[in-house]
Amino acid sequence: MPDVEYARLDAPATRAILKEIRPVYAAGFPGYSLDDWETRTTRQVGYPGFETITARDGDGSLIGFVYGFPLASSSWWEGLTPAPPPGYTDEDGTRTVAVIDLVVLPAFRSRGIGRRLVDLYLSDRAQRRATLTTSPAKPDIQRMYERWGWTQVGRVPGGPLATAEYYDVYVIDLGPAEPTSSR
């Protein structure tokens, strides 16, 4: 496999390449609304802690990305069924980081690039857990996340412009937020 270069981008750097991300997103999510993606992503890139990891082939072409942000409110979990235990959905930006979109161009799939993107995105996080949602109509994607250690915790309803009536919510433990000290 040719070399793949990965880069970590903050919000301003991500904003600068949204036009480059758009066709990669379209290839990864055929049939999804690009207008919805643009509106949603333009809003989300302004959230505190928004970050992107990109993958580029040897020619410098964008072949994949993952991005997300720490959850600063509990709105992510609205309508979660089954009902979680008390406190499970409490968010303040330090507990949970969300993976919003992960895309690898079809020609580059099954090479470990998606897994590496997610691993890089989640590395060195201050948050104790990560979450993402997937469409129930994509069982192959759900099985992939389960192989990577994610656990389904329930479902949430899709919004007005969503591509699905509801989404399955997955969580993975990232460990303690701060190293524990031994006394």
Side-chain angles (χ1 to χ4, degrees):
M1 179 172 93
D3 288 337
V4 175
E5 292 189 28
Y6 297 91
R8 187 177 298 271
L9 308 177
D10 61 10
T14 300
R15 202 175 280 112
I17 66 162
L18 284 178
K19 284 185 168 70
E20 188 179 11
I21 289 174
R22 183 183 175 105
V24 177
Y25 177 88
F29 293 101
Y32 282 35
S33 167
L34 287 175
D35 290 338
D36 175 52
W37 169 81
E38 190 167 347
T39 300
R40 177 176 49 86
T41 305
T42 300
R43 180 182 70 250
Q44 291 170 342
V45 78
Y47 293 174
F50 186 96
E51 188 173 63
T52 301
I53 306 293
T54 59
R56 294 182 181 276
D57 68 7
D59 296 333
S61 298
L62 186 66
I63 60 170
F65 64 86
V66 63
Y67 51 73
F69 52 86
L71 298 180
S73 78
S74 299
S75 62
W76 176 271
W77 307 101
E78 285 179 10
L80 180 65
T81 58
Y88 187 83
T89 64
D90 294 347
E91 299 295 350
D92 63 4
T94 64
R95 182 180 195 183
T96 309
V97 64
V99 173
I100 301 301
D101 286 322
L102 167 65
V103 176
V104 175
L105 288 174
F108 293 90
R109 291 183 184 160
S110 299
R111 300 180 189 186
I113 296 169
R115 176 73 186 259
R116 181 76 175 133
L117 283 165
V118 171
D119 287 350
L120 286 168
Y121 177 74
L122 297 179
S123 68
D124 299 322
R125 284 277 165 199
Q127 293 79 20
R128 295 187 311 260
R129 67 181 179 185
T131 186
L132 57 82
T133 62
T134 67
S135 168
K138 303 284 186 184
D140 53 330
I141 300 298
Q142 293 184 338
R143 284 190 299 274
M144 176 189 75
Y145 284 120
E146 289 165 2
R147 282 192 313 272
W148 294 356
W150 295 77
T151 302
Q152 184 181 358
V153 296
R155 287 190 165 163
V156 291
L161 296 176
T163 57
E165 185 179 342
Y166 58 88
Y167 294 92
D168 291 333
V169 181
Y170 283 77
V171 171
I172 193 168
D173 182 27
L174 301 178
E178 300 174 357
T180 55
S181 61
S182 58
R183 292 186 179 197

